[in-house]
Amino acid sequence: MIEVIPAILARNTSDLSSKLKEIPNEIKLVHIDVLEEDIWTETDLDFEVHLMVSHPEEIIETWVDRGAKRVIVHKLNEKINSFKNKTELGLAVELGLLLEEVFPLVSEVSFIHLMSIAKIGEQGHPFDERIFDRIREVREKFPTLIISVDGGVGVENFQKLKELGVNRFVVGSRFKELWKSLTKN
């Protein structure tokens, strides 16, 4: 199953609320990027959170209690692993990290979240084509693993990512453009 998931990186609570209201009715799940400041507002949408924080183990419980269907972290530890029965747990992998370093951890998570931009924590960075080889490598080693790609996803690279076996497409600043192209029929 293919999912196109709008990514929200909010500056404050009112910005988050405003961006949530812009989500098309057909979309049932959003991706919320979480930086060090806690920004939250109630929503009827299902959501996943990408905990791009220094100590995700200190806030994971808060996000699970808020209803996160999925939680994405950049590192695993005993406390984070204890939430596997309460939410779908994903491991984010930055472009600069060797895949061989994360392969032993794949059995501990529900999916792998490959970053396809060089700098994370901001939207609008260019797509990095090194991701294509990384997807091939993950798909070859783990044929049934759910692969999520985040960063720079747009109309011009969507089809190739899909053909390589990406299951989830997290799309930030280019979501409206991609969504329009996918739903124009």
Side-chain angles (χ1 to χ4, degrees):
M1 181 176 156
I2 302 292
E3 288 181 72
V4 177
I5 306 167
I8 297 174
L9 178 60
R11 294 183 309 273
N12 52 49
T13 301
S14 64
D15 186 39
L16 176 59
S17 181
S18 173
K19 288 178 177 177
L20 286 168
K21 289 175 186 168
E22 294 175 10
I23 301 299
N25 291 332
E26 301 89 345
I27 298 292
K28 302 301 177 204
L29 182 131
V30 297
H31 174 99
I32 300 174
D33 286 318
V34 178
L35 302 176
E36 296 298 334
E37 184 179 350
D38 186 25
I39 297 171
W40 173 244
T41 188
E42 294 295 325
T43 179
D44 291 333
L45 291 167
D46 284 341
F47 63 94
E48 66 182 24
V49 292
H50 184 177
L51 302 181
M52 296 185 285
V53 298
S54 301
H55 300 283
E57 67 278 358
E58 294 176 4
I59 64 169
I60 189 171
E61 185 170 9
T62 298
W63 287 99
V64 171
D65 288 347
R66 288 174 176 167
K69 301 294 180 199
R70 302 175 187 147
V71 176
I72 303 161
V73 295
H74 288 256
K75 59 183 176 180
L76 297 173
N77 60 38
E78 189 176 331
K79 183 167 183 184
I80 289 170
N81 289 349
S82 74
F83 286 89
K84 285 194 284 192
N85 295 329
K86 298 176 183 174
T87 189
E88 195 176 333
L89 192 59
L91 181 61
V93 182
E94 294 176 45
L95 270 170
L97 189 61
L98 293 174
L99 288 173
E100 292 78 20
E101 292 181 32
V102 297
F103 284 165
L105 305 173
V106 167
S107 64
E108 298 179 39
V109 295
S110 300
F111 64 99
I112 194 162
H113 188 79
L114 298 175
M115 300 305 300
S116 46
I117 54 176
K119 183 179 179 187
I120 67 169
E122 299 171 2
Q123 289 184 344
H125 287 281
F127 181 81
D128 192 317
E129 292 193 359
R130 290 180 292 170
I131 195 64
F132 296 136
D133 288 335
R134 292 170 71 80
I135 295 165
R136 280 186 198 95
E137 190 174 344
V138 171
R139 184 54 69 216
E140 188 176 294
K141 186 145 178 80
F142 303 99
T144 61
L145 181 66
I146 294 171
I147 299 175
S148 177
V149 171
D150 182 354
V153 175
V155 173
E156 72 288 339
N157 56 36
F158 178 81
Q159 191 60 38
K160 183 167 183 176
L161 291 166
K162 184 177 168 185
E163 289 168 5
L164 289 171
V166 173
N167 307 96
R168 297 176 182 159
F169 301 82
V170 177
V171 189
S173 60
R174 303 179 66 207
F175 175 77
K176 288 179 184 176
E177 172 193 9
L178 179 60
W179 187 250
K180 184 177 178 182
S181 78
L182 294 173
T183 59
K184 65 181 172 188
N185 296 332

